[in-house]
Amino acid sequence: MTDVAPSPLKKVLANAGQLLSGRVVNAIIGLAYIALTARSLGAEMMGVLVIINAFAQFLGEVAHFQSWQTLITYGAGPLLENDKRRFQQVLRFTLLLDLISAVLGILLGMLGAWFFWRQLSWPEGMNGYGALYALSIGVMTSATGVGLLRLFDRFRFLAAEQAISSFVRLVGCAICAVTQAPIQYFLLAWAAGTFAAFFYIAAIAIWDLKRKGLLSGFTVMGPTSKDLPGVWRFAMATNFSGTLDVGFTHVLTMAVGALLGPAQAALWRIGKQVADGMAKPARLMVPALYPELAKMRASGGQQAMTKLAVQIALIGGAAAGVLLLVSLVSGRWILETVMGPGFGAAAGVMNWQVAAAAIGVMTLPLEPMLVSMRAAGAAMMVRLVVVLTYLACLVPLIRTFGLTGAGAALVASALAMAIGMYFMARRRLARLAAEESSAPRPT
């Protein structure tokens, strides 16, 4: 009796379920260390810490080449064909991307912290600590390990990544809270969590490569982009697309801090933490979706790709409705219970943040489809148009309407992004279908 392979949808949901097991733990621990930090430092200094962290993450995303996407897109074919030489070439190339990202990110972070701390609303004397915190950018930008574990379907190990980071931060923040430590020690605790997650993923990825025999004969010196057509263009497009995405996350946090002050930035960050935590279970389908779409693209399954995307979109739509209802009914109670009575004021803006997250959840298969069809440039163009429009409107909206203006801008941009990605994906699928129908058939 032969084993029946699970359907792509079941495989995506199973892998997402494995990630969910770790992310549920991470959501709880993450809220715990955020609450400890907020209660210990207060809104003002919590806002300073949030802005420093957002600054580091922003530069990490700017320098980040999204090497995991390159590894999955260009490595799925060689892995399926047992072409070790070509797979090692893809691996060598993505490690080079990670190295470039790390050096560039740390350099930008240290210089930026040293020279622009006043513009970022940091207190006197925090620029040195901000520069030291920028060292964590070097491990934020490394993504080859994550790509390997996704490609190998090792989602049960990926499930623990953020939980480990949050647990290290929780322990560090608990020690800081008990000893009434100043902000720089909380920064150290947050940075320690980032380093812990990196070393964990790197160790598992190396172990898995050795187990599969993919490290035998591997050297860091050798061909990288040779015989990988369009790989640099793809890497630059995914990097630029990821960089544009920070406009909706870290740039927005820094803009709120610069225009409204650290206390308002703390309210924004706390609302975003809860909103992201609520949306996280549905978003976990995205990392599970990329490898399946890449494998379907490598084997020419365009119709199967479309079917899987529609199924995921329907599931995401149902999850989005639940998210928004919970936020509207219980948002203030959640914030005051977890963070303290003073942070209930973030409930209004959190509803906007959850609405934006819900739109993203409903349309989450669109960008993975474009990337898997090697149309990362199309996704990048959508992001570019939306981000430029969004950034042009952001400062006037924040100055006029405060946090509500920032939230409304986030929702409008999420809606515009969804519409743009939909039409680009539809156009790309039509082109691929036309190419298939015009291709000569074997006799």
Side-chain angles (χ1 to χ4, degrees):
M1 189 173 180
T2 58
D3 293 332
V4 178
S7 70
L9 177 62
K10 288 182 179 178
K11 199 169 181 182
V12 169
L13 293 178
N15 287 335
Q18 289 186 347
L19 290 175
L20 179 60
S21 63
R23 299 301 171 88
V24 168
V25 175
N26 175 64
I28 297 170
I29 299 175
L31 283 175
Y33 82 72
I34 288 282
L36 271 175
T37 306
R39 290 174 180 269
S40 300
L41 296 180
E44 191 74 19
M45 293 311 291
M46 168 73 177
V48 173
L49 187 150
V50 161
I51 296 170
I52 291 174
N53 182 64
F55 171 73
Q57 290 186 314
F58 162 68
L59 290 177
E61 291 296 335
V62 168
H64 192 189
F65 270 103
Q66 307 288 339
S67 57
W68 68 270
Q69 292 190 13
T70 304
L71 182 72
I72 288 175
T73 301
Y74 282 85
L79 187 66
L80 290 173
E81 297 162 10
N82 293 317
D83 187 345
K84 186 170 77 170
R85 182 198 63 80
R86 197 151 60 97
F87 182 83
Q88 288 181 342
Q89 183 181 350
V90 176
L91 177 61
R92 191 180 297 115
F93 179 75
T94 60
L95 288 173
L96 173 64
L97 293 180
D98 285 349
L99 178 62
I100 294 171
S101 298
V103 173
L104 181 62
I106 291 173
L107 183 62
L108 289 175
M110 297 188 79
L111 290 175
W114 199 258
F115 291 107
F116 296 101
W117 60 274
R118 286 188 179 88
Q119 288 80 359
L120 294 167
S121 298
W122 297 0
E124 188 82 30
M126 286 303 298
N127 56 335
Y129 296 114
L132 286 174
Y133 193 79
L135 293 173
S136 65
I137 296 173
V139 294
M140 290 179 191
T141 55
S142 178
T144 293
V146 171
L148 286 168
L149 296 189
R150 288 176 178 174
L151 193 58
F152 296 155
D153 287 333
R154 309 294 278 175
F155 287 88
R156 63 192 180 95
F157 291 105
L158 281 170
E161 178 195 5
Q162 290 193 359
I164 287 172
S165 175
S166 293
F167 180 74
V168 171
R169 288 182 175 185
L170 176 62
V171 172
C173 289
I175 294 171
C176 292
V178 169
T179 58
Q180 298 182 336
I183 184 174
Q184 52 264 38
Y185 291 97
F186 281 91
L187 281 170
L188 179 62
W190 281 41
T194 304
F195 278 94
F198 165 76
F199 287 118
Y200 164 77
I201 289 294
I204 298 296
I206 292 170
W207 171 71
D208 226 12
L209 284 168
K210 286 182 177 179
R211 189 177 63 88
K212 293 177 179 293
L214 292 171
L215 281 185
S216 81
F218 176 77
T219 60
V220 292
M221 303 300 295
T224 52
S225 56
K226 183 183 177 182
D227 301 326
L228 298 176
V231 70
W232 272 111
R233 185 170 62 251
F234 180 88
M236 295 299 292
T238 53
N239 165 263
F240 192 50
S241 184
T243 299
L244 291 173
D245 195 41
V246 303
F248 307 119
T249 52
H250 314 308
V251 169
L252 187 44
T253 302
M254 290 189 291
V256 170
L259 295 171
L260 302 178
Q264 293 295 296
L267 293 179
W268 175 268
R269 177 65 175 82
I270 286 171
K272 193 77 167 60
Q273 177 81 12
V274 176
D276 287 347
M278 293 169 66
K280 184 66 73 176
R283 285 178 177 167
L284 290 178
M285 288 187 286
V286 172
L289 191 57
Y290 269 105
E292 295 307 310
L293 290 174
K295 291 169 186 175
M296 288 177 182
R297 175 71 180 93
S299 59
Q302 312 303 333
Q303 290 184 340
M305 289 177 70
T306 304
K307 179 181 177 182
L308 178 60
V310 171
Q311 290 171 329
I312 296 296
L314 291 173
I315 295 171
V322 174
L323 290 177
L324 198 52
L325 181 63
V326 170
S327 178
L328 290 170
V329 173
S330 307
R332 178 174 288 274
W333 175 82
I334 292 171
L335 288 169
E336 291 182 345
T337 301
V338 176
M339 303 295 170
F343 292 94
V349 73
M350 189 180 77
N351 289 332
W352 288 102
Q353 292 165 327
V354 171
I359 294 170
V361 167
M362 291 175 66
T363 57
L364 58 81
L366 295 176
E367 187 169 8
M369 280 194 71
L370 284 167
V371 172
S372 299
M373 292 184 287
R374 299 191 183 179
M380 180 194 70
M381 287 306 300
V382 173
R383 286 194 178 278
L384 180 61
V385 172
V386 174
V387 167
L388 289 177
T389 306
Y390 160 82
L391 291 178
C393 301
L394 184 60
V395 172
L397 283 171
I398 291 177
R399 283 180 172 162
T400 306
F401 301 105
L403 287 180
T404 300
L410 195 63
V411 170
S413 62
L415 188 59
M417 189 79 70
I419 294 170
M421 291 290 183
Y422 169 75
F423 282 109
M424 283 294 187
R426 185 176 174 180
R427 178 179 165 187
R428 183 68 177 180
L429 283 168
R431 182 185 301 173
L432 288 175
E435 289 173 0
E436 283 186 359
S437 63
S438 62
R441 299 181 182 276
T443 56

